[in-house]
């Protein structure tokens, strides 16, 4: 019998820490050898001149998810995962959203059923908690953790999703007790609503006013408050989709102070800008997302923070709504900015954009690229080392990249269920050409080989705070004799 099912020969392997020449031997879906000149396989892939990287882990995507206003994303778990695979990803962690009145059990049953029959990639979910009743805090969330869902998101804005500061403290403490990671959409609801009203009252309804109504100050206030709440109960907190310099500075300050605060930014804040909202006719609606696009200076500020290590994650925030009556135009051909679904697609382009603008332009190293697109997510979300690296014993989740391949982005060339891409016409060098999931070739030379529903649920471990110690005990400790175990 052959020693390996598959050998990837002649490539350059890169992990979050090292770059080296090695063949990769795969057996039973796992990496079993890394060495020069491996032989004895049923099948070989010639990776000469190519990069052999851990498959990407897309940890922020909205797939087959209803928003609070009822809008359904255009991608289901099939098209969303296929698009992710063509972008070099091998795992996805979309959101399972609780809307008020729903039990956590029902939410998870629904999302498990949506994903299991369709996803071509391995998957998990972050739970969105919008209704933290006693039942949810004491039964629903603990059961979700036991079921391998060890992270969830809360919103500090949107009337139908927002949690109060008290509710957020309840969730943070519950998460801390179980070893879960809380994620937060941090924007100040009152500041946004106040400005929205003033704008609409004065007739400012076009897409650019979406950005005006969601100022960086609203993000900074909420990030600052989120950090204060999490620090108060000594719980870890991940600030998702940081879009402003003020927000990034707050994350950096908290990290410098040794707090268990983590940050994420997204391609749209590095590669697009608020001027895109001012495109001809209704085109600007394609660029409405929250937090909104900022300006060129902010792009530079966020790059600086990415280079400096402020952020752990770089995620697409894929939130696909088509440019038709099922999506962006569901309230007519020219809706005011308040009546358009928030979000844009990007799951397929996340990693290629960072490769081109980051690695090729010398802004980040190849190893940082691997960390941002894969390893850090695996670590933060309890999937490492099965996922997120190339090591003996890890799952053979691998993306083989051609660093010299240049392609121009078109909506037609994407594999999602969208009718536009906000990156139309951008030319990028460096693309994944072959993608393996647990040793199985699922994408090769622009062709899909994956069966619908082949993806497996990843039962994630708790968030591991080792190495992220907090320097001071929480101020509230003395008052917590009644429940000290919550903060032990
Ligand atoms: N938050 C997200 O994370 N994505 C889309 C819209 C939003 O508010
Ligand atoms: Zn959000
Ligand atoms: Zn999102």
């Amino acid at each position: 019998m052959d020693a390996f099912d598959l050998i990837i020969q002649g490539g350059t392997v890169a992990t979050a820490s090292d770059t080296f020449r090695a063949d990769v031997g795969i057996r039973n879906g796992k990496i079993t050898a890394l060495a020069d000149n491996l032989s004895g396989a049923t099948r070989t892939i010639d990776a000469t001149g190519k990069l052999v990287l851990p498959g990407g882990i897309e940890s922020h995507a909205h797939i087959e998810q209803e928003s609070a206003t009822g809008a359904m994303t255009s991608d289901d778990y099939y098209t969303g995962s296929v698009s992710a695979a063509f972008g070099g990803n091998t795992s996805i962690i979309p959101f399972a959203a609780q809307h008020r009145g729903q039990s956590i059990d029902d939410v998870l049953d629904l999302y498990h059923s949506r994903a299991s029959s369709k996803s071509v990639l391995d998957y998990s979910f972050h739970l969105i908690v919008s209704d933290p009743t006693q039942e949810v805090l004491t039964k629903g969330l603990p059961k979700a953790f036991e079921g391998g869902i060890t992270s969830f998101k809360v919103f500090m804005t949107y009337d139908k999703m927002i949690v109060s500061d008290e509710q957020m403290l309840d969730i943070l403490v519950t998460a801390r007790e179980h070893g879960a990671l809380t994620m937060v959409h941090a924007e100040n609801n009152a500041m946004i609503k106040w400005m929205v009203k003033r704008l609409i009252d004065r007739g400012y309804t076009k897409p650019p006013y979406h950005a005006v109504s969601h100022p960086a100050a609203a993000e900074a206030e909420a990030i600052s408050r989120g950090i204060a709440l999490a620090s108060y109960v000594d719980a870890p907190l991940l600030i998702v989709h940081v879009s402003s310099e003020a927000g990034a500075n707050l994350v950096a300050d908290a990290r410098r102070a040794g707090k268990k605060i983590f940050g994420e930014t997204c391609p749209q804040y590095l590669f697009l800008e608020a001027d895109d909202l001012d495109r001809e006719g209704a085109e600007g609606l394609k660029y409405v997302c929250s937090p909104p696009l900022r300006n060129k200076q902010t792009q530079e500020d966020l790059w600086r923070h990415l280079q400096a290590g402020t952020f752990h994650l770089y995620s697409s925030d894929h939130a696909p709504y088509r440019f038709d009556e099922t999506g962006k135009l569901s309230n007519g051909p020219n809706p005011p900015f308040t009546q358009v679904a928030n979000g844009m697609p990007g799951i397929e382009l996340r990693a290629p954009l960072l490769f081109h603008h980051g690695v090729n332009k010398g802004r980040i190293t190849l190893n940082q690229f691997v960390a941002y697109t894969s390893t850090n997510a695996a670590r933060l979300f309890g999937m490492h080392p099965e996922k997120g690296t190339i090591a003996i014993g890890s799952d053979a989740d691998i993306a083989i990249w051609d660093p010299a391949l240049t392609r121009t982005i078109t909506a037609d060339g994407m594999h999602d269920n969208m009718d536009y891409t906000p990156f139309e016409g951008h030319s990028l060098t460096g693309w994944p050409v072959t993608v393996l999931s647990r040793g199985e070739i699922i994408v090769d030379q622009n062709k899909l080989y994956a069966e619908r529903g082949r993806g497996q649920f990843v039962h994630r471990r708790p968030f591991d705070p080792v190495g992220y110690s907090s320097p001071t005990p929480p101020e509230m400790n003395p008052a917590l004799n009644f429940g000290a175990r919550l903060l032990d």
Side-chain angles (χ1 to χ4, degrees):
M1 189 170 53
D2 290 323
F4 304 107
D5 302 324
L6 179 69
I7 297 175
I8 303 171
Q9 285 176 331
T12 298
V13 177
T15 67
S17 57
D18 302 296
T19 306
F20 53 94
R21 265 274 315 108
D23 294 347
V24 181
I26 296 164
R27 184 156 179 79
N28 292 334
K30 302 267 183 201
I31 297 166
T32 54
L34 290 167
D36 262 348
N37 301 319
L38 288 176
S39 61
T42 318
R43 184 167 183 186
T44 58
I45 297 176
D46 179 10
T48 309
K50 309 271 191 338
L51 299 171
V52 179
L53 310 181
I57 299 175
E58 172 56 80
S59 61
H60 187 151
H62 303 269
I63 294 179
E64 212 167 333
Q65 183 197 321
E66 296 92 351
S67 73
T69 54
M72 183 57 143
T73 57
S74 69
D75 278 312
D76 66 10
Y77 271 84
Y78 183 69
T79 57
S81 63
V82 167
S83 183
F86 277 96
N89 298 289
T90 49
S91 300
I92 50 174
I93 317 179
F95 294 94
Q98 181 205 26
H99 297 295
R100 295 202 178 129
Q102 284 185 304
S103 78
I104 299 297
D105 269 2
D106 285 352
V107 173
L108 290 178
D109 284 352
L110 177 65
Y111 279 86
H112 275 294
S113 75
R114 286 176 174 177
S116 64
S117 57
K118 299 185 200 125
S119 185
V120 302
L121 296 183
D122 290 351
Y123 60 90
S124 180
F125 313 107
H126 311 289
L127 199 56
I128 289 178
V129 184
S130 66
D131 197 5
T133 59
Q134 276 311 304
E135 171 82 14
V136 165
L137 292 169
T138 59
K139 298 211 176 88
L141 294 184
K143 193 166 164 208
F145 303 136
E146 276 164 31
I149 291 168
T150 56
S151 54
F152 47 82
K153 179 178 179 183
V154 296
F155 284 85
M156 295 172 85
T157 187
Y158 297 128
D159 285 347
K160 292 191 171 159
M161 301 300 283
I162 190 169
V163 294
S164 68
D165 291 357
E166 282 151 289
Q167 289 175 319
M168 189 159 159
L169 284 167
D170 276 342
I171 293 165
L172 283 161
V173 163
T174 305
R176 185 189 194 283
E177 187 181 10
H178 291 88
L181 177 61
T182 304
M183 306 159 75
V184 66
H185 177 126
E187 288 189 287
N188 178 301
N189 200 37
M191 288 165 81
I192 293 168
K193 284 173 68 172
W194 181 81
M195 183 54 99
V196 163
K197 183 167 185 324
R198 286 173 83 85
L199 289 167
I200 297 295
D201 284 352
R202 288 161 177 74
Y204 296 111
T205 60
K206 287 187 184 296
Y209 297 106
H210 171 71
V212 176
S213 69
H214 287 244
E219 180 175 77
E221 189 285 325
I223 290 179
S224 168
R225 185 157 37 99
I227 291 172
L229 296 172
S231 308
Y232 183 42
V233 294
D234 196 22
L237 181 65
L238 167 63
I239 321 287
V240 298
H241 49 47
V242 176
S243 68
S244 65
E245 189 202 15
N249 285 343
L250 287 162
V251 173
D253 288 349
R255 295 195 55 72
R256 205 164 34 241
K259 295 180 176 169
K260 290 176 277 197
I261 300 298
F262 305 89
E264 172 201 78
T265 194
C266 311
Q268 45 272 38
Y269 306 118
L270 296 171
F271 309 118
L272 301 173
E273 52 184 309
D275 283 356
D276 287 309
L277 288 159
D278 206 13
R279 293 189 179 213
E280 270 304 291
E283 286 286 298
L285 296 169
K286 294 178 177 175
Y287 296 85
V288 171
C289 61
S290 288
L293 303 177
R294 309 288 183 192
N295 59 22
K296 275 234 148 35
Q297 180 57 49
T298 306
Q299 294 179 352
E300 290 311 312
D301 296 330
L302 295 175
W303 270 112
R304 206 176 63 244
H305 278 284
L306 201 68
Q307 290 165 321
T310 298
F311 300 118
H312 275 63
L313 299 176
Y314 158 82
S315 315
S316 72
D317 196 358
H318 184 72
Y321 300 100
R322 291 169 68 95
F323 195 59
D324 64 20
E325 63 291 344
T326 68
K328 292 277 183 185
L329 307 179
S330 62
N331 287 312
N334 241 319
F337 72 85
T338 47
Q339 286 179 37
V340 62
N342 271 227
M344 57 177 77
I347 204 163
E348 194 162 338
L349 297 172
R350 170 186 79 117
L353 282 163
L354 190 66
F355 192 94
H356 177 88
H357 292 287
V359 180
N360 286 350
K361 295 185 179 170
R363 282 163 150 157
I364 57 169
T365 65
L366 181 60
N367 308 104
Q368 282 176 297
F369 171 82
V370 171
Y372 285 132
T373 54
S374 179
T375 315
N376 289 353
R379 288 202 170 118
L380 272 185
F381 295 120
M383 301 164 78
H384 188 266
E386 292 88 348
K387 307 288 189 195
T389 193
I390 293 185
I392 308 291
S394 293
D395 287 355
D397 285 2
I398 292 171
I400 302 175
W401 284 66
D402 182 345
L405 179 63
T406 298
R407 275 195 202 138
T408 299
I409 297 167
T410 62
D412 278 355
M414 297 292 99
H415 299 82
D416 55 16
N417 187 33
M418 284 295 293
D419 52 0
Y420 79 92
T421 162
F423 301 99
E424 184 80 31
H426 292 223
S427 174
L428 303 181
T429 299
W431 289 87
V433 286
T434 306
V435 180
L436 284 82
S437 165
R438 286 178 275 105
E440 196 181 310
I441 297 173
I442 55 168
V443 167
D444 190 36
Q445 309 305 331
N446 226 10
K447 275 216 181 88
L448 183 71
Y449 293 92
E451 242 175 67
R452 171 187 277 262
R454 66 164 294 287
Q456 294 178 355
F457 175 67
V458 180
H459 188 285
R460 295 187 284 121
R461 285 184 291 276
F463 168 75
D464 178 6
V466 171
Y468 302 116
S469 65
S470 172
T472 45
E475 308 164 44
M476 67 187 296
N477 240 351
L480 263 196
N481 294 328
F482 69 89
R485 82 194 155 79
L486 294 181
L487 288 175
D488 278 347

